[in-house]
């Protein structure tokens, strides 16, 4: 049975969130292919993980027998998050752009699971695991656009997820999501609609393609 680790981080609920909606389409297509599979779900907006602390950080570099009670308690949280990543056959992350970067709740999750000598380093423990990131954004930060230089979601996540954790990274990018609600962007609504349609199609297609990889 394949295990999918699904992480949402949008503060908006349900269909009000593009990242949640597109990620849900990916998950639904995945579950159709893996009806007996396991989905481990974390909603970081509803149930945020703790930000990294001195005890949680230092415990990662201390032998279990040498940890203080505070370090042991703090590291237990990190251990669970790390094990979820290591045990996943695939990872799905909803990563909306907030103020040009990822939500702080998603950053906290990354800080917890990134452990040098285990998930990071010469042989990352989850190396090669496919990860699909739904990187939604209210505007467009694509190459050639006026705000190209403000794109700190894909660039950052590529450095962390691919470059550091060694995951097999892919993106789905629904953009211009503010167009229907911002009068100043009304002329961009057709581009938003095309982007949204393409994102849902990509979610279904990529989920099925990934399922076929596991079946091969």
């Amino acid at each position: 049975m394949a295990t999918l680790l699904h992480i949402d981080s949008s503060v908006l609920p349900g269909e009000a969130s593009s990242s949640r909606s597109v990620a849900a389409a990916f998950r639904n297509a995945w579950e159709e292919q893996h009806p007996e599979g396991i989905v481990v779900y974390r909603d970081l907006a509803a149930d945020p993980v703790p930000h990294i602390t001195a005890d949680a950080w230092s415990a990662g570099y201390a032998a279990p027998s040498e940890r203080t009670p505070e370090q042991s308690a703090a590291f237990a949280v990190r251990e669970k998050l790390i094990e979820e990543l290591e045990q996943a056959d695939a990872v799905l992350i909803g990563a909306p752009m907030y103020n040009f970067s990822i939500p702080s709740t998603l950053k906290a999750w990354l800080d917890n699971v990134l452990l040098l000598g285990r998930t990071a380093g010469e042989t990352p423990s989850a190396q090669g695991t496919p990860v699909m990131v739904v990187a939604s954004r209210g505007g467009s930060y694509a190459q050639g656009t006026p705000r190209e230089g403000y794109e700190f979601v894909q660039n950052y996540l590529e450095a962390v997820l691919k470059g550091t954790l060694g995951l097999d990274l892919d993106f789905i990018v629904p953009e211009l999501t503010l167009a229907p609600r911002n009068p100043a962007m009304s002329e961009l609504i057709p581009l938003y609609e095309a982007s949204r349609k393409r994102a849902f199609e990509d979610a279904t297609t990529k989920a099925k393609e990934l399922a076929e990889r596991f079946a091969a």
Side-chain angles (χ1 to χ4, degrees):
M1 294 188 298
T3 297
L4 175 69
L5 174 59
H6 178 188
I7 297 169
D8 274 325
S9 61
S10 173
V11 298
L12 299 176
E15 295 183 1
S17 165
S18 291
S19 66
R20 286 182 184 271
S21 297
V22 175
F26 182 100
R27 174 174 168 173
N28 289 339
W30 168 272
E31 290 181 316
E32 287 178 2
Q33 303 299 314
H34 297 283
E36 304 300 323
I38 298 170
V39 176
V40 176
Y41 180 60
R42 282 197 173 271
D43 186 338
L44 299 180
D47 187 19
V49 302
H51 283 81
I52 201 78
T53 63
D55 285 330
W57 178 83
S58 59
Y61 303 100
S65 61
E66 297 175 353
R67 293 171 185 160
T68 66
E70 292 77 14
Q71 285 178 317
S72 296
F75 191 74
V77 176
R78 292 189 70 187
E79 183 79 22
K80 181 173 179 58
L81 298 173
I82 289 171
E83 287 179 350
E84 288 177 352
L85 174 62
E86 292 173 333
Q87 294 168 7
D89 295 295
V91 182
L92 170 64
I93 300 175
M97 178 185 281
Y98 291 162
N99 301 314
F100 310 121
S101 188
I102 62 173
S104 64
T105 51
L106 181 55
K107 178 61 164 60
W109 180 82
L110 288 167
D111 287 341
N112 275 282
V113 300
L114 202 160
L115 180 59
L116 187 63
R118 182 168 174 179
T119 59
E122 292 186 5
T123 55
S125 55
Q127 186 171 18
T129 302
V131 55
M132 179 61 63
V133 175
V134 180
S136 60
R137 61 276 315 274
S140 179
Y141 301 82
Q143 188 173 2
T145 61
R147 288 199 164 186
E148 174 185 353
Y150 290 81
E151 210 299 318
F152 301 112
V153 173
Q154 288 178 264
N155 293 342
Y156 171 71
L157 290 178
E158 182 153 355
V160 176
L161 296 174
K162 182 178 180 180
T164 304
L165 296 176
L167 306 182
D168 181 10
L169 175 63
D170 197 1
F171 286 101
I172 297 173
V173 185
E175 61 179 10
L176 301 168
T177 62
L178 287 178
R181 300 194 294 274
N182 185 346
M185 298 175 65
S186 59
E187 65 181 20
L188 299 175
I189 289 178
L191 293 177
Y192 151 74
E193 292 174 341
S195 176
R196 179 178 173 83
K197 181 175 183 291
R198 184 168 56 252
F200 277 102
E201 290 174 349
D202 284 349
T204 300
T205 299
K206 290 176 182 290
K208 290 180 178 179
E209 289 175 348
L210 187 57
E212 290 175 359
R213 283 173 54 183
F214 284 103

